[in-house]
CSV table of all heavy atoms in Angstrom, one decimal:
chain,number,residue,atom,x,y,z
A,40,GLU,N,92.6,68.9,91.2
A,40,GLU,CA,91.6,69.6,90.4
A,40,GLU,C,91.2,70.9,91.1
A,40,GLU,O,91.1,71.0,92.3
A,40,GLU,CB,90.4,68.7,90.3
A,40,GLU,CG,89.3,69.2,89.4
A,40,GLU,CD,87.9,68.5,89.8
A,40,GLU,OE1,88.0,67.5,90.5
A,40,GLU,OE2,87.0,69.1,89.3
A,41,THR,N,90.9,71.9,90.3
A,41,THR,CA,90.4,73.2,90.9
A,41,THR,C,88.9,73.1,90.8
A,41,THR,O,88.3,72.7,89.7
A,41,THR,CB,91.0,74.5,90.1
A,41,THR,OG1,92.4,74.4,90.1
A,41,THR,CG2,90.4,75.7,90.6
A,42,TYR,N,88.3,73.5,91.8
A,42,TYR,CA,86.9,73.5,91.9
A,42,TYR,C,86.3,74.7,92.7
A,42,TYR,O,87.1,75.3,93.5
A,42,TYR,CB,86.2,72.2,92.4
A,42,TYR,CG,86.5,71.8,93.8
A,42,TYR,CD1,85.7,72.2,94.9
A,42,TYR,CD2,87.8,71.3,94.2
A,42,TYR,CE1,86.0,71.9,96.2
A,42,TYR,CE2,88.0,71.0,95.5
A,42,TYR,CZ,87.2,71.3,96.5
A,42,TYR,OH,87.5,71.0,97.9
A,43,ARG,N,85.1,75.0,92.6
A,43,ARG,CA,84.5,76.2,93.3
A,43,ARG,C,83.7,75.7,94.5
A,43,ARG,O,82.9,74.8,94.3
A,43,ARG,CB,83.7,77.0,92.3
A,43,ARG,CG,83.1,78.3,92.9
A,43,ARG,CD,82.7,79.2,91.8
A,43,ARG,NE,83.9,80.1,91.5
A,43,ARG,CZ,83.8,81.5,91.7
A,43,ARG,NH1,82.6,82.0,92.0
A,43,ARG,NH2,84.8,82.2,91.4
A,44,LYS,N,83.9,76.3,95.6
A,44,LYS,CA,83.1,76.1,96.8
A,44,LYS,C,82.6,77.4,97.3
A,44,LYS,O,83.5,78.3,97.6
A,44,LYS,CB,84.0,75.4,97.9
A,44,LYS,CG,83.1,74.9,99.1
A,44,LYS,CD,83.9,73.9,99.9
A,44,LYS,CE,83.0,73.5,101.0
A,44,LYS,NZ,83.7,72.4,101.9
A,45,GLY,N,81.3,77.6,97.4
A,45,GLY,CA,80.9,79.0,97.7
A,45,GLY,C,81.4,79.9,96.6
A,45,GLY,O,81.2,79.6,95.5
A,46,GLU,N,82.0,81.0,97.0
A,46,GLU,CA,82.5,81.9,96.1
A,46,GLU,C,84.0,81.7,95.8
A,46,GLU,O,84.7,82.5,95.3
A,46,GLU,CB,82.4,83.4,96.5
A,46,GLU,CG,80.8,83.8,96.7
A,46,GLU,CD,80.2,84.0,95.3
A,46,GLU,OE1,80.7,84.7,94.5
A,46,GLU,OE2,79.3,83.1,95.1
A,47,ILE,N,84.6,80.6,96.4
A,47,ILE,CA,86.0,80.4,96.3
A,47,ILE,C,86.5,79.4,95.4
A,47,ILE,O,86.0,78.2,95.4
A,47,ILE,CB,86.4,80.1,97.8
A,47,ILE,CG1,86.1,81.3,98.7
A,47,ILE,CG2,88.0,79.8,97.9
A,47,ILE,CD1,86.3,81.1,100.2
A,48,ASP,N,87.4,79.7,94.7
A,48,ASP,CA,88.2,78.7,93.8
A,48,ASP,C,89.2,78.0,94.7
A,48,ASP,O,90.1,78.7,95.2
A,48,ASP,CB,88.8,79.3,92.5
A,48,ASP,CG,87.8,79.9,91.6
A,48,ASP,OD1,86.9,79.1,91.2
A,48,ASP,OD2,87.8,81.1,91.3
A,49,ARG,N,89.3,76.7,94.7
A,49,ARG,CA,90.2,76.1,95.5
A,49,ARG,C,90.7,74.7,95.0
A,49,ARG,O,90.1,74.2,94.1
A,49,ARG,CB,89.6,75.9,97.0
A,49,ARG,CG,88.4,75.0,97.0
A,49,ARG,CD,88.0,74.6,98.4
A,49,ARG,NE,88.8,73.5,98.8
A,49,ARG,CZ,89.6,73.4,99.8
A,49,ARG,NH1,89.8,74.4,100.5
A,49,ARG,NH2,90.3,72.3,100.1
A,50,THR,N,91.7,74.2,95.5
A,50,THR,CA,92.1,72.8,95.3
A,50,THR,C,92.1,72.1,96.7
A,50,THR,O,92.5,72.8,97.6
A,50,THR,CB,93.5,72.7,94.7
A,50,THR,OG1,94.4,73.4,95.4
A,50,THR,CG2,93.5,73.3,93.2
A,51,ASP,N,92.0,70.8,96.7
A,51,ASP,CA,92.1,70.1,97.9
A,51,ASP,C,93.6,70.1,98.3
A,51,ASP,O,94.4,70.1,97.4
A,51,ASP,CB,91.5,68.6,97.7
A,51,ASP,CG,90.0,68.6,97.9
A,51,ASP,OD1,89.4,69.7,98.2
A,51,ASP,OD2,89.5,67.5,97.6
A,52,VAL,N,93.8,70.1,99.6
A,52,VAL,CA,95.2,70.2,100.1
A,52,VAL,C,95.9,68.8,99.7
A,52,VAL,O,95.4,67.8,100.1
A,52,VAL,CB,95.2,70.4,101.6
A,52,VAL,CG1,96.7,70.3,102.1
A,52,VAL,CG2,94.6,71.8,101.9
A,53,ILE,N,97.0,68.9,99.2
A,53,ILE,CA,97.8,67.8,98.9
A,53,ILE,C,98.9,67.8,99.9
A,53,ILE,O,99.4,66.8,100.5
A,53,ILE,CB,98.4,67.7,97.5
A,53,ILE,CG1,97.3,67.4,96.5
A,53,ILE,CG2,99.5,66.6,97.3
A,53,ILE,CD1,97.7,67.7,95.0
A,54,GLY,N,99.4,69.0,100.2
A,54,GLY,CA,100.5,69.2,101.2
A,54,GLY,C,101.5,70.2,100.7
A,54,GLY,O,101.4,70.8,99.7
A,55,ILE,N,102.6,70.2,101.5
A,55,ILE,CA,103.7,71.1,101.2
A,55,ILE,C,104.8,70.3,100.5
A,55,ILE,O,105.3,69.4,101.1
A,55,ILE,CB,104.2,71.8,102.5
A,55,ILE,CG1,103.1,72.6,103.2
A,55,ILE,CG2,105.4,72.7,102.2
A,55,ILE,CD1,102.3,73.6,102.3
A,56,SER,N,105.2,70.8,99.4
A,56,SER,CA,106.2,70.1,98.5
A,56,SER,C,107.6,70.8,98.9
A,56,SER,O,107.6,72.0,99.2
A,56,SER,CB,106.0,70.3,97.1
A,56,SER,OG,105.1,69.3,96.6
A,57,CYS,N,108.6,70.0,98.8
A,57,CYS,CA,110.0,70.5,98.9
A,57,CYS,C,110.8,70.1,97.7
A,57,CYS,O,110.7,69.0,97.2
A,57,CYS,CB,110.6,69.9,100.1
A,57,CYS,SG,112.4,70.3,100.3
A,58,TYR,N,111.6,71.1,97.1
A,58,TYR,CA,112.5,70.8,96.0
A,58,TYR,C,113.9,71.3,96.5
A,58,TYR,O,114.0,72.2,97.2
A,58,TYR,CB,112.0,71.6,94.8
A,58,TYR,CG,110.7,71.2,94.2
A,58,TYR,CD1,109.5,71.7,94.8
A,58,TYR,CD2,110.6,70.4,93.2
A,58,TYR,CE1,108.3,71.4,94.3
A,58,TYR,CE2,109.3,70.0,92.7
A,58,TYR,CZ,108.2,70.4,93.3
A,58,TYR,OH,106.9,70.0,92.8
A,59,SER,N,114.9,70.6,96.0
A,59,SER,CA,116.2,71.0,96.3
A,59,SER,C,117.0,71.3,95.0
A,59,SER,O,116.8,70.7,94.0
A,59,SER,CB,117.0,69.9,97.1
A,59,SER,OG,117.2,68.8,96.4
A,60,SER,N,118.0,72.1,95.3
A,60,SER,CA,118.9,72.6,94.1
A,60,SER,C,120.2,73.0,94.6
A,60,SER,O,120.4,73.5,95.7
A,60,SER,CB,118.2,73.8,93.4
A,60,SER,OG,118.9,74.3,92.4
A,61,THR,N,121.2,72.8,93.8
A,61,THR,CA,122.5,73.5,94.1
A,61,THR,C,122.7,74.8,93.3
A,61,THR,O,123.7,75.5,93.6
A,61,THR,CB,123.7,72.4,93.7
A,61,THR,OG1,123.5,72.1,92.4
A,61,THR,CG2,123.7,71.3,94.7
A,62,ASP,N,121.9,75.1,92.4
A,62,ASP,CA,122.1,76.3,91.5
A,62,ASP,C,120.9,77.2,91.4
A,62,ASP,O,120.9,78.2,90.6
A,62,ASP,CB,122.6,75.9,90.2
A,62,ASP,CG,121.6,75.1,89.4
A,62,ASP,OD1,120.5,74.8,89.9
A,62,ASP,OD2,122.0,74.5,88.3
A,63,LEU,N,119.8,76.8,92.1
A,63,LEU,CA,118.5,77.6,92.0
A,63,LEU,C,117.8,77.6,90.6
A,63,LEU,O,116.8,78.2,90.3
A,63,LEU,CB,118.7,79.1,92.3
A,63,LEU,CG,119.0,79.5,93.7
A,63,LEU,CD1,119.6,80.9,93.8
A,63,LEU,CD2,117.8,79.5,94.6
A,64,VAL,N,118.3,76.7,89.7
A,64,VAL,CA,117.8,76.6,88.3
A,64,VAL,C,117.2,75.2,88.2
A,64,VAL,O,116.0,75.0,87.7
A,64,VAL,CB,118.9,76.8,87.3
A,64,VAL,CG1,118.4,76.6,85.9
A,64,VAL,CG2,119.6,78.2,87.4
A,65,SER,N,118.0,74.1,88.5
A,65,SER,CA,117.6,72.8,88.4
A,65,SER,C,117.0,72.2,89.7
A,65,SER,O,117.7,72.3,90.8
A,65,SER,CB,118.7,72.1,87.9
A,65,SER,OG,118.6,70.7,88.1
A,66,TRP,N,115.7,71.8,89.8
A,66,TRP,CA,115.1,71.5,91.1
A,66,TRP,C,114.7,70.1,91.2
A,66,TRP,O,113.9,69.6,90.2
A,66,TRP,CB,113.9,72.4,91.3
A,66,TRP,CG,114.3,73.8,91.5
A,66,TRP,CD1,114.3,74.9,90.6
A,66,TRP,CD2,114.7,74.4,92.8
A,66,TRP,NE1,114.7,76.0,91.2
A,66,TRP,CE2,115.0,75.8,92.5
A,66,TRP,CE3,114.8,73.9,94.1
A,66,TRP,CZ2,115.4,76.6,93.5
A,66,TRP,CZ3,115.3,74.8,95.0
A,66,TRP,CH2,115.5,76.2,94.8
A,67,LYS,N,115.2,69.4,92.1
A,67,LYS,CA,114.8,68.0,92.4
A,67,LYS,C,113.6,67.9,93.4
A,67,LYS,O,113.7,68.5,94.5
A,67,LYS,CB,116.0,67.2,93.0
A,67,LYS,CG,115.7,65.7,93.3
A,67,LYS,CD,117.0,65.1,93.8
A,67,LYS,CE,116.7,63.7,94.3
A,67,LYS,NZ,117.1,63.4,95.6
A,68,HIS,N,112.6,67.1,93.1
A,68,HIS,CA,111.5,67.0,94.0
A,68,HIS,C,111.8,66.1,95.1
A,68,HIS,O,112.2,65.0,94.9
A,68,HIS,CB,110.2,66.5,93.3
A,68,HIS,CG,109.1,66.6,94.1
A,68,HIS,ND1,107.9,65.8,93.9
A,68,HIS,CD2,108.6,67.5,95.0
A,68,HIS,CE1,107.0,66.1,94.8
A,68,HIS,NE2,107.3,67.1,95.4
A,69,GLU,N,111.8,66.6,96.3
A,69,GLU,CA,112.2,65.8,97.5
A,69,GLU,C,110.9,65.3,98.2
A,69,GLU,O,111.1,64.5,99.2
A,69,GLU,CB,112.9,66.7,98.6
A,69,GLU,CG,114.3,67.2,98.1
A,69,GLU,CD,115.4,66.2,98.0
A,69,GLU,OE1,115.1,65.1,98.5
A,69,GLU,OE2,116.5,66.5,97.5
A,70,GLY,N,109.7,65.5,97.5
A,70,GLY,CA,108.5,64.9,98.0
A,70,GLY,C,107.6,65.9,98.8
A,70,GLY,O,108.0,67.0,98.8
A,71,VAL,N,106.5,65.4,99.1
A,71,VAL,CA,105.6,66.2,99.9
A,71,VAL,C,105.9,66.0,101.4
A,71,VAL,O,105.7,64.9,102.0
A,71,VAL,CB,104.1,65.8,99.7
A,71,VAL,CG1,103.0,66.6,100.4
A,71,VAL,CG2,103.8,65.9,98.1
A,72,VAL,N,106.6,67.1,102.0
A,72,VAL,CA,107.3,66.9,103.2
A,72,VAL,C,106.3,67.2,104.4
A,72,VAL,O,106.5,66.8,105.5
A,72,VAL,CB,108.5,67.8,103.4
A,72,VAL,CG1,109.5,67.3,102.4
A,72,VAL,CG2,108.2,69.3,103.1
A,73,LEU,N,105.1,67.8,104.1
A,73,LEU,CA,104.1,67.9,105.0
A,73,LEU,C,102.8,67.6,104.3
A,73,LEU,O,102.2,68.4,103.7
A,73,LEU,CB,104.0,69.4,105.7
A,73,LEU,CG,102.9,69.6,106.7
A,73,LEU,CD1,103.3,68.8,108.0
A,73,LEU,CD2,102.7,71.1,107.0
A,74,PRO,N,102.4,66.3,104.4
A,74,PRO,CA,101.3,65.8,103.5
A,74,PRO,C,99.9,66.1,104.2
A,74,PRO,O,99.8,66.2,105.4
A,74,PRO,CB,101.5,64.3,103.4
A,74,PRO,CG,102.4,64.0,104.4
A,74,PRO,CD,103.1,65.2,105.0
A,75,ALA,N,98.9,66.2,103.4
A,75,ALA,CA,97.5,66.3,103.8
A,75,ALA,C,97.2,65.0,104.7
A,75,ALA,O,97.8,63.9,104.5
A,75,ALA,CB,96.5,66.4,102.7
A,76,VAL,N,96.3,65.1,105.6
A,76,VAL,CA,95.9,64.0,106.5
A,76,VAL,C,94.4,63.8,106.1
A,76,VAL,O,93.5,64.5,106.4
A,76,VAL,CB,96.0,64.4,108.0
A,76,VAL,CG1,95.4,63.3,108.8
A,76,VAL,CG2,97.5,64.7,108.3
A,77,ALA,N,94.2,62.7,105.3
A,77,ALA,CA,92.8,62.5,104.7
A,77,ALA,C,91.9,61.9,105.7
A,77,ALA,O,90.7,62.2,105.6
A,77,ALA,CB,93.0,61.6,103.5
A,78,GLY,N,92.4,61.1,106.6
A,78,GLY,CA,91.5,60.3,107.5
A,78,GLY,C,90.5,61.1,108.4
A,78,GLY,O,89.4,60.7,108.7
A,79,GLU,N,91.1,62.2,108.9
A,79,GLU,CA,90.4,63.0,110.0
A,79,GLU,C,89.8,64.3,109.5
A,79,GLU,O,90.6,65.2,109.3
A,79,GLU,CB,91.4,63.3,111.2
A,79,GLU,CG,92.0,62.0,111.7
A,79,GLU,CD,93.2,62.4,112.6
A,79,GLU,OE1,93.1,63.4,113.4
A,79,GLU,OE2,94.3,61.8,112.4
A,80,GLU,N,88.5,64.4,109.5
A,80,GLU,CA,87.9,65.6,108.9
A,80,GLU,C,88.2,66.8,109.6
A,80,GLU,O,88.2,68.0,109.1
A,80,GLU,CB,86.4,65.4,108.8
A,80,GLU,CG,85.9,65.1,107.4
A,80,GLU,CD,84.5,65.1,107.2
A,80,GLU,OE1,83.7,66.1,107.7
A,80,GLU,OE2,83.9,64.2,106.6
Side-chain angles (χ1 to χ4, degrees):
E40 184 204 347
T41 300
Y42 63 95
R43 184 158 264 240
K44 184 162 183 181
E46 295 293 299
I47 295 173
D48 293 306
R49 58 167 280 118
T50 54
D51 281 351
V52 175
I53 293 173
I55 301 305
S56 276
C57 173
Y58 296 83
S59 69
S60 176
T61 52
D62 59 6
L63 289 162
V64 179
S65 164
W66 291 96
K67 176 180 177 232
H68 192 210
E69 298 284 356
V71 179
V72 294
L73 183 70
V76 176
E79 302 165 46
E80 260 191 41

